[in-house]
């Protein structure tokens, strides 16, 4: 089959990998000078993208067309005849839309010292040898161009990427950093990072600002916190710009006939599929999402596109490698009451990955209760409602659910059917016959092997669903979030399995002679694949021989996923990867999704 | 009686157009009143309204809101706070000098001319003991927008009565 992938970003490349692994002919149509998309514009990610692309770039079945623009599309007998502006024509049996996202351009706020995060990424990129001379105070302002009347979705990645920017900033310099936020919509592991940076002195303020008074030497930022108007001076202000639908989707939808939804993203008729037969969709063309999910959906769309006899969306395919767990049920409060207060907050960073799940359940319950005529309050330290989930939160507020943001440092206590909110700037009481609190449910989630808790940051290998060689996590146990993701993840996992079967896995090897037994690798391993073994060693130094036990690291091959974290952690540098042998002589394992019965 | 419904009716908007407020306090960061060191947070004003708390005539927003619409143009939801403030004033039977000056300025010049507004409302400032803020006000009056709070839209393009559901179905 001939597969046409529109968009050479990370998601399009991921889709191409799966289609190539199944020995199909793939054409990637990229409108820019080079493939790469947004990822190649992010600090230090260019290399990651290139490595990813290099794995397929020499495949004879792959064609990459650069600076290609579509002039017309004809659909005949289920095939697409695509003519480009330069006259070239292409034939495709299947098309994957992977055109990505369009970063918001806040022209009304930008300046020499008020930068967008894309501009800031250029500053902290390792290739940029010199940081600016005055780099002592940096402010991050979140939610610029998202969660608004113009664009009501949450861009879902800007909280996370700002955290990454903080990380890379602190790796190079030690400016004082302040983050102005509405919510901190992190993903998995990043909640731990948040704690790390808080402990390291990064200031988080739950108040946003649009007052940026810039002059030659700095920017004054005003914000309202602790009941007071405050003004602080920064050297640089970084605006966490939102990610909006690619405007070119409009013309593509006309060319190919697929529909867009009301927010101008591609309408997902079935998971990763448009409403036109033969046209699939992945990555940022679906909704704002991070790199890992762009890869995941790319794998999934690639797999769907090359499968014959596509399965419908309602069937849960069976494969013993696919691992899922039912999400716990959060039941609405019962009995008679007038007012109900939902409290979305937790101090336990290990429980924070459930913010997303709990926020959406609580908001849905709040809406139901409000419709039933109750007084409903949602008091929050952090509401995690990324992407489309923000719309639910918006509707709740419209319907009269009263949302109260607790600032940092404000406290809430519950006494006799009342909630007391107390802080430096205000003090008030809310009626609360019922209180439903995050921590009431935290025990439901504890001790699960949540993939995103261990691996949400990009690593040496991109494994969006792989937990172990025979275990691929999807749904709640991958990352607790909105249900629409699970079906996408299932396809993504099958795509990933296919690629894993293709790939000769390079196992890390410990040089046992030189291992000092420090155990750092064991702590670093997300898979718990390293054990410290006691090795008998015979020591004979002048005199009698003495046998002693010394620990050395042992890697369990069946659980290791070759992520490489151990090798990069080992202080003695004694873990190595053997050269990956030439591919090709190994049969691709079939990875078919069983047909519904 | 000051009920939320009544205020909304006076403001000429649906409640949801205001209650969609997400608590970001962007409005407070740009509010003109805060040039006077009054520590006003328009979002708290909205919250009070929705919690059914009574807003009194001495509320700083009721006294000093200049209807400059800076808050509304910076607000992600373009919430028209001055209109709800005006409605509260109406329910309290107050028309501030600011407002009169503001309207008159619109009549004469077809736009807000700050020096005029400040001169017209000087008695209010004097009576309220806010004379100490006068230097700041004069500074403010000196130009139209005293600092680089860049505006997305001016008050003239924010048309009254359009709903916040605009452009969405
Ligand atoms: C400042 C910033 C920082 C970020 N930081 C992170 C981070 O730290 N971690 C993270 O996980 N994510 C981050 N992201 C998000 C990340 O960039 C996206 O998740 C990812 O790039 C989406 O990949 P994609 O392939 O779907 O789309 P894109 O990267 O947008 O790629 C789309 C490609 O399609 C091409 N294209 C578009 N239209 C057409 C057309 N009509 N014809 C042909 N080709 C077309 C484009 O030229 C582009 O190459 C960040 C985003 C921004 C803006
Ligand atoms: S991820 Fe959502 S909450 Fe965070 S900055 Fe972006 S739009 Fe705001
Ligand atoms: S590569 Fe190392 S860290 Fe990664 S799973 Fe294998 S043993 Fe663990
Ligand atoms: S980190 Fe290195 S030295 Fe330490 S136990 Fe592991 S392999 Fe041995
Ligand atoms: S209109 Fe009123 S509340 Fe809004 S910024 Fe101006 S003075 Fe402040
Ligand atoms: S700027 Fe708008 S959304 Fe934000 S707190 Fe003020 S009124 Fe609410």
């Amino acid at each position: 089959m001939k597969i046409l992938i529109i968009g050479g970003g990370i998601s399009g490349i991921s889709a191409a990998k799966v289609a190539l692994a199944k020995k199909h002919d793939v054409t990637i149509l990229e409108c820019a000078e080079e493939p790469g998309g947004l990822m190649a514009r992010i600090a230090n990610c260019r290399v990651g993208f290139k490595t990813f692309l290099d794995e397929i770039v020499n495949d004879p079945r792959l064609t990459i067309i650069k600076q290609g623009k579509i002039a017309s599309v004809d659909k005949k007998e289920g095939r697409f005849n695509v003519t480009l502006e330069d006259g070239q024509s292409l034939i495709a049996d299947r098309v994957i839309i992977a055109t990505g996202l369009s970063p918001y351009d806040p022209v009304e706020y930008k300046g020499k010292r008020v930068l967008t995060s894309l501009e800031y990424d250029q500053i902290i990129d390792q290739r940029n040898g010199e940081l600016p001379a005055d780099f002592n105070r940096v402010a991050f302002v979140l939610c610029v161009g998202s969660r608004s009347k113009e664009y009501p979705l949450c861009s879902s990645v800007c909280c996370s990427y700002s955290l990454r920017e903080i990380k890379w900033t602190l790796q190079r310099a030690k400016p004082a950093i302040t983050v102005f936020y509405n919510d901190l919509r992190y993903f998995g592991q990043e909640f731990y990072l948040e704690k790390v940076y808080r402990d390291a002195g990064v200031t988080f303020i739950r108040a946003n600002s649009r007052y940026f008074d810039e002059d030659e030497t700095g920017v004054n930022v005003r914000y309202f916190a602790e009941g007071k108007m405050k003004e602080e001076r920064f050297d640089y202000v970084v605006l966490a710009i939102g990610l909006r639908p690619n405007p070119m989707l409009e013309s593509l939808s006309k060319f190919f006939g697929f529909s867009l939804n009301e927010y101008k993203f591609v309408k997902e008729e079935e998971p990763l599929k448009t409403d036109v037969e033969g046209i699939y969709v992945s990555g940022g063309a679906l909704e704002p999402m991070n790199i890992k999910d762009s890869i995941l959906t790319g794998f999934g769309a690639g797999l769907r596109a090359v499968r014959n006899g596509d399965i419908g969306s309602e069937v849960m395919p069976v494969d013993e490698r696919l691992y899922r767990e039912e999400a716990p049920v959060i039941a609405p409060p019962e009995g008679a009451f007038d007012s109900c207060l939902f409290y979305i907050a937790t101090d336990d960073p290990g429980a924070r990955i459930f913010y997303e799940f709990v926020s959406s359940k609580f908001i849905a319950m709040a809406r139901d209760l409000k419709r039933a005529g109750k007084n409903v309050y949602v008091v929050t330290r952090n509401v995690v409602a990324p992407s489309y989930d923000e719309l639910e939160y918006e509707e709740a507020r419209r319907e009269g659910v009263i949302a109260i943001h607790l600032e940092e440092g404000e406290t809430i206590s519950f006494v006799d059917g009342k909630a007391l909110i107390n802080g430096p700037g205000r003090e008030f009481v809310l009626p609360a016959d019922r209180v439903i609190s995050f921590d009431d449910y935290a025990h439901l989630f504890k001790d699960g092997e949540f993939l995103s808790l261990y691996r949400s940051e990009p690593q040496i290998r991109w494994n969006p669903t792989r937990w172990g060689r025979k275990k691929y996590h999807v749904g709640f146990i991958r990352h607790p979030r909105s249900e629409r993701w699970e079906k996408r993840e299932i396809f993504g996992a099958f795509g990933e399995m296919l690629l894993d079967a293709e790939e000769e896995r390079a196992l890390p090897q410990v040089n046992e002679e030189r291992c000092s037994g420090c155990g750092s690798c064991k702590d670093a391993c997300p898979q718990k694949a390293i054990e410290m073994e006691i090795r008998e060693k015979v020591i004979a130094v002048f005199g009698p021989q003495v046998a002693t036990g010394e620990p050395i690291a042992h890697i369990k091959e069946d659980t290791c996923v070759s992520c490489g974290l151990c090798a990069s952690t080992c202080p003695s540098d004694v873990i190595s990867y053997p050269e990956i042998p030439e591919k090709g002589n190994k049969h691709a394992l079939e990875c078919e999704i069983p047909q519904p019965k | 009686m000051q009920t939320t419904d009544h205020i909304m009716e006076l403001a000429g908007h649906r409640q949801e157009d205001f209650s969609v407020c997400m608590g970001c306090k962007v409005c407070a960061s740009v509010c003109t009143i805060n040039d006077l060191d009054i520590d006003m947070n328009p979002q708290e004003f909205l919250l009070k309204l929705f919690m059914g708390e009574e807003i009194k005539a001495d509320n700083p927003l009721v006294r000093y809101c200049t209807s400059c619409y800076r808050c509304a143009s910076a607000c992600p939801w373009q919430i028209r706070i001055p209109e709800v403030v005006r409605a509260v004033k109406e329910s309290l039977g107050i028309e501030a000098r600011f407002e009169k000056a503001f309207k008159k300025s619109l009549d004469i010049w077809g736009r807000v001319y700050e020096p005029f507004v400040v001169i017209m409302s000087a008695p209010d400032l004097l009576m309220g003991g806010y004379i100490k803020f006068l230097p700041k006000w004069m500074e403010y009056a000196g130009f139209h927008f005293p600092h680089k709070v860049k505006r997305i839209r001016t008050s003239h393009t924010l048309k009254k009565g359009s709903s916040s559901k605009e452009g969405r179905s």
Side-chain angles (χ1 to χ4, degrees):
Chain A
M1 261 196 302
K2 292 189 186 306
I3 316 287
L4 173 64
I5 297 173
I6 302 177
I10 189 74
S11 198
I13 306 295
S14 308
K17 283 198 168 174
V18 174
L20 289 169
K22 287 290 249 173
K23 314 284 181 234
H24 295 283
D25 292 324
V26 176
T27 303
I28 296 175
L29 181 66
E30 169 58 59
C31 65
E33 276 169 30
E34 289 297 330
L38 281 175
M39 184 177 163
R41 290 167 65 191
I42 302 171
N44 310 334
C45 276
R46 214 174 305 99
V47 181
F49 178 82
K50 190 172 171 297
T51 323
F52 197 76
L53 176 60
D54 280 351
E55 288 177 26
I56 54 168
V57 81
N58 293 325
D59 193 312
R61 290 193 183 86
L62 175 70
T63 315
I64 299 181
I65 300 175
K66 295 170 192 171
Q67 291 179 295
K69 300 221 166 62
I70 295 177
S72 67
V73 178
D74 238 3
K75 194 175 178 184
K76 267 197 208 108
E77 294 149 20
R79 300 188 105 189
F80 302 90
N81 293 314
V82 179
T83 313
L84 303 187
E85 278 176 2
D86 63 3
Q88 233 186 112
S89 77
L90 307 164
I91 291 178
D93 299 292
R94 303 281 158 89
V95 178
I96 298 172
I97 309 295
T99 47
L101 294 153
S102 169
Y104 176 64
D105 187 18
V107 277
E108 66 277 31
Y109 297 118
K110 274 194 305 193
K112 286 207 172 67
R113 290 173 176 275
V114 182
L115 309 173
T116 68
S117 23
L118 272 177
E119 292 164 343
Y120 186 71
D121 259 335
Q122 301 307 310
I123 294 186
I124 53 170
D125 194 312
Q126 294 291 353
R127 281 203 318 189
N128 181 17
E130 293 268 316
L131 291 176
D134 50 348
F135 198 67
N136 301 315
R137 297 178 62 78
V138 180
F140 287 85
V141 176
L142 302 190
C143 297
V144 177
S146 323
R147 301 178 69 179
S148 62
K149 184 172 175 178
E150 213 183 328
Y151 180 59
L153 272 60
C154 157
S155 295
S156 82
V157 290
C158 17
C159 284
S160 305
Y161 76 55
S162 299
L163 193 71
R164 170 186 56 74
E165 288 179 334
I166 290 171
K167 178 171 157 187
W168 285 344
T169 304
L170 291 177
Q171 278 172 7
R172 299 194 58 181
K174 295 279 167 274
I177 295 178
T178 304
V179 181
F180 295 98
Y181 72 94
N182 295 328
D183 294 292
L184 293 173
R185 297 186 170 170
Y186 295 139
F187 193 81
Q189 248 177 7
E190 293 159 359
F191 284 109
Y192 281 110
L193 275 184
E194 177 202 335
K195 190 179 175 310
V196 169
Y197 295 123
R198 274 179 190 270
D199 294 346
V202 173
T203 311
F204 287 79
I205 295 175
R206 201 172 190 199
N208 217 309
S209 174
R210 292 293 183 276
Y211 181 104
F212 314 120
D213 185 8
E214 181 181 335
D215 54 44
E216 286 299 306
T217 60
V219 189
N220 286 353
V221 175
R222 277 190 189 172
Y223 62 95
F224 197 93
E226 301 180 330
K228 285 199 168 56
M229 189 66 194
K230 303 191 177 189
E231 191 162 324
E232 262 183 70
R233 196 168 169 80
F234 295 93
D235 297 321
Y236 289 92
V237 172
V238 186
L239 307 176
I241 48 172
L243 294 166
R244 299 192 174 187
N246 182 342
M248 283 192 278
L249 282 176
E250 301 258 9
S251 62
L252 288 174
S253 96
K254 291 201 185 84
F255 283 137
F256 288 99
F258 60 83
S259 315
L260 304 184
N261 67 19
E262 61 180 301
Y263 306 102
K264 307 292 178 212
F265 284 103
V266 175
K267 184 168 169 227
E268 197 181 11
E269 187 74 6
E270 283 175 24
L272 308 177
K273 192 172 176 209
T274 69
D275 53 1
V276 170
E277 209 42 57
I279 305 185
Y280 300 83
V281 54
S282 76
L286 279 165
E287 58 177 286
M289 63 174 77
N290 62 18
I291 293 172
K292 203 143 209 172
D293 284 332
S294 301
I295 295 176
L296 172 87
T297 51
F299 286 167
L303 185 88
R304 282 207 77 165
V306 298
R307 285 195 79 255
N308 288 313
D310 217 347
I311 58 156
S313 58
E314 294 314 312
V315 191
M316 169 80 191
V318 197
D319 186 298
E320 76 275 5
R321 286 169 296 180
L322 210 58
Y323 181 66
R324 66 187 291 276
E325 277 179 19
E326 275 319 317
V329 176
I330 294 187
E334 285 172 3
F337 56 91
D338 294 325
S339 56
C340 182
L341 185 148
F342 291 89
Y343 182 48
I344 309 182
T346 183
D347 292 332
D348 174 4
R352 290 192 184 141
I353 67 159
F354 307 106
Y355 262 138
E356 192 170 338
F357 182 76
V358 171
S359 300
S360 84
K361 298 290 172 203
F362 279 15
I363 288 165
M365 282 199 282
R367 289 184 69 185
D368 288 344
L369 291 173
K370 183 69 205 175
R371 278 191 230 108
K374 313 274 186 213
N375 261 334
V376 187
Y377 302 91
V378 176
V379 180
T380 70
R381 289 201 191 280
N382 195 6
V383 188
V384 180
S387 186
Y388 289 110
D389 296 6
E390 174 66 18
L391 301 173
E392 291 287 315
Y393 186 36
E394 177 201 333
E395 280 307 323
R397 300 189 312 259
R398 285 186 187 280
E399 289 163 359
V401 169
I402 294 182
I404 295 171
H405 277 200
L406 292 187
E407 285 180 17
E408 305 262 336
E410 281 184 333
T411 59
I412 186 168
S413 48
F414 304 102
V415 201
D416 300 336
K418 286 192 168 51
L420 281 77
I421 291 174
N422 208 319
R426 59 181 177 174
E427 198 172 300
F428 60 101
V429 179
L430 297 172
D433 297 342
R434 286 299 167 89
V435 176
I436 297 163
S437 166
F438 185 115
D439 286 333
D440 300 345
Y441 294 95
H443 67 275
L444 289 178
F445 319 122
K446 275 284 173 205
D447 305 325
E449 291 184 322
F450 293 93
L451 186 78
S452 66
L453 194 57
Y454 296 101
R455 274 179 278 147
S456 56
E457 284 238 307
Q459 276 150 5
I460 296 173
R461 295 293 175 91
W462 297 92
N463 305 121
T465 64
R466 182 165 64 186
W467 176 269
R469 290 177 72 185
K470 298 199 176 86
K471 207 166 166 217
Y472 292 77
H473 284 200
V474 294
F476 185 73
I477 195 71
R478 175 180 182 270
H479 181 66
R481 59 175 162 182
S482 163
E483 279 133 34
R484 71 176 175 281
W485 276 97
E486 178 158 350
K487 284 168 185 151
R488 295 176 181 169
E489 285 166 0
I490 292 170
F491 290 109
F494 281 115
E496 199 182 342
M497 288 178 203
L498 184 80
L499 292 174
D500 286 358
E502 271 277 281
E503 194 173 83
E504 285 286 354
R505 249 169 19 102
L507 278 176
Q509 279 169 5
V510 179
N511 180 333
E512 299 189 350
E513 290 302 305
R514 291 175 47 219
C515 169
S516 72
C518 69
S520 311
C521 55
K522 179 170 181 263
D523 297 337
C525 175
Q527 295 298 119
K528 301 196 175 73
I530 301 184
E531 277 172 347
M532 301 310 290
E533 282 190 344
I534 304 296
R535 170 72 54 88
E536 289 292 311
K537 247 193 186 171
V538 180
I539 302 178
V541 200
F542 310 119
Q545 291 193 340
V546 190
T548 58
E550 276 196 7
I552 60 154
H554 172 75
I555 294 169
K556 292 184 279 184
E557 299 203 345
D558 52 340
T559 34
C560 167
V561 294
S562 306
C563 69
L565 278 179
C566 54
S568 55
T569 309
C570 174
S572 319
D573 202 16
V574 302
I575 304 183
S576 58
Y577 274 86
E579 288 288 304
I580 300 178
E582 273 295 306
K583 278 185 197 171
N585 50 2
K586 207 178 161 203
H587 264 300
L589 282 181
E590 270 308 287
C591 160
E592 286 302 326
I593 300 169
Q595 293 299 319
K597 305 221 168 72
Chain B
M1 189 32 213
Q2 197 185 66
T3 64
T4 313
D5 288 347
H6 180 57
I7 303 287
M8 290 303 140
E9 206 183 303
L10 288 176
H13 292 291
R14 288 172 303 171
Q15 175 157 342
E16 64 164 81
D17 299 339
F18 295 99
S19 68
V20 70
C21 166
M22 64 166 172
C24 63
K25 296 187 281 181
V26 157
C27 46
S29 75
V30 297
C31 177
T32 307
I33 299 180
N34 284 327
D35 287 353
L36 303 179
D37 294 335
I38 291 178
D39 290 332
M40 185 58 216
N41 174 11
Q43 178 251 340
E44 198 72 29
F45 185 92
L46 289 178
L47 191 60
K48 281 204 170 107
L49 204 64
F50 293 124
M51 296 200 306
E53 236 177 84
E54 198 178 343
I55 294 167
K56 306 234 170 64
D58 65 352
N59 183 297
L61 214 51
V62 172
R63 291 180 71 174
Y64 302 114
C65 172
T66 60
S67 287
C68 65
Y69 276 84
R70 266 205 214 157
C71 53
S73 53
C75 168
W77 289 97
Q78 293 174 19
I79 293 174
R80 308 155 92 84
I81 291 163
E83 287 164 30
V84 72
V85 174
R86 197 152 59 223
V88 169
K89 279 198 251 187
E90 208 173 316
S91 82
L92 292 167
I94 310 170
E95 192 179 15
R97 233 177 268 266
F98 269 132
E99 187 128 3
K100 281 186 211 148
F102 190 81
K103 278 186 189 155
K104 200 149 182 201
S105 161
L106 279 177
D107 281 347
I108 302 173
W109 290 282
R111 65 181 171 84
V112 186
Y113 183 51
E114 280 87 351
F116 175 79
V117 173
V118 171
I119 290 162
M120 290 291 287
S121 37
D124 239 15
L125 290 172
L126 289 171
M127 287 187 306
Y130 283 97
I131 190 74
K132 62 178 182 210
F133 299 127
L134 213 60
K136 254 205 160 153
W137 267 98
M138 294 319 289
E139 189 190 323
Y140 176 52
F143 16 155
H144 291 292
F145 302 112
H147 35 59
K148 287 180 208 142
V149 178
K150 292 164 205 157
R151 297 166 63 103
I152 314 170
R153 263 159 237 177
T154 65
S155 54
H156 313 288
T157 56
L158 273 170
K159 285 196 198 66
K160 198 180 168 188
S162 62
S163 95
S164 55
K165 279 270 184 177
E166 226 171 44
R168 301 174 49 200
S169 50

